[in-house]
Amino acid sequence: MNLFYQVALGTVLLGASCILHILALFACLPLLKSTAQHSWITKKKFKEILLVGMMIAAILASHGFQIWLWAAVWLALGAFVEMQEALYFSAVTYTTLGYGDIVLGPSIRLFSTFSAVSGLLSFGVSIALLVGLVSRLLPDDITGD
């Protein structure tokens, strides 16, 4: 894969991955709002724990989906033959852990950086949403309202 193709395809997949992540997380916000407004949970603390737990579940699902998506791309490009190896490389690259035990050849190496950037951006969005949710819940706990 030539340099231009790696950058072009990487940019498209990076953008698609980030958009999917944002859409997935923002799609769960109405469910969070509905859960917060229902009175079937009477203890405030349990409701707060449930809301944060629901947001974390949505975040984990979205990150997991993206890791699988990148693994499918690795398979489609022929970088790996087995799903297990593609999934492992995808997870290690997406999380920027980068053990280095699997290294791609020069013809596709640059493309893998887009997977890492995708993970960095998605983790940033995830943390921002969690901070936003907790900051909305926390003032009531501090003031006792």
Side-chain angles (χ1 to χ4, degrees):
M1 184 179 337
N2 69 38
L3 178 66
F4 175 76
Y5 187 67
Q6 287 186 68
V7 172
L9 183 60
T11 301
V12 168
L13 289 173
L14 167 64
S17 183
C18 290
I19 289 169
L20 286 172
H21 185 68
I22 291 167
L23 289 174
L25 295 185
F26 278 87
C28 82
L29 292 180
L31 179 61
L32 287 173
K33 186 175 182 178
S34 171
T35 301
Q37 293 173 343
H38 280 66
S39 59
W40 54 273
I41 299 177
T42 56
K43 295 284 186 188
K44 188 174 184 303
K45 271 291 167 229
F46 292 135
K47 189 177 285 191
E48 290 172 348
I49 291 169
L50 178 63
L51 292 172
V52 172
M54 288 171 62
M55 179 57 83
I56 289 173
I59 288 169
L60 291 175
S62 181
H63 286 295
F65 176 77
Q66 287 183 81
I67 289 170
W68 279 93
L69 179 67
W70 281 100
V73 169
W74 296 123
L75 285 175
L77 292 175
F80 300 101
V81 177
E82 295 181 18
M83 177 54 96
Q84 181 179 358
E85 193 174 28
L87 196 55
Y88 171 76
F89 181 79
S90 178
V92 168
T93 303
Y94 180 84
T95 60
T96 69
L97 204 52
Y99 287 129
D101 54 345
I102 298 176
V103 180
L104 298 177
S107 65
I108 198 168
R109 192 175 298 152
L110 180 63
F111 179 72
S112 68
T113 61
F114 289 91
S115 175
V117 173
S118 169
L120 284 171
L121 292 173
S122 295
F123 282 115
V125 169
S126 299
I127 290 170
L129 282 172
L130 268 177
V131 167
L133 176 63
V134 171
S135 68
R136 289 186 62 118
L137 299 174
L138 193 57
D140 290 343
D141 291 342
I142 292 173
T143 61
D145 293 339

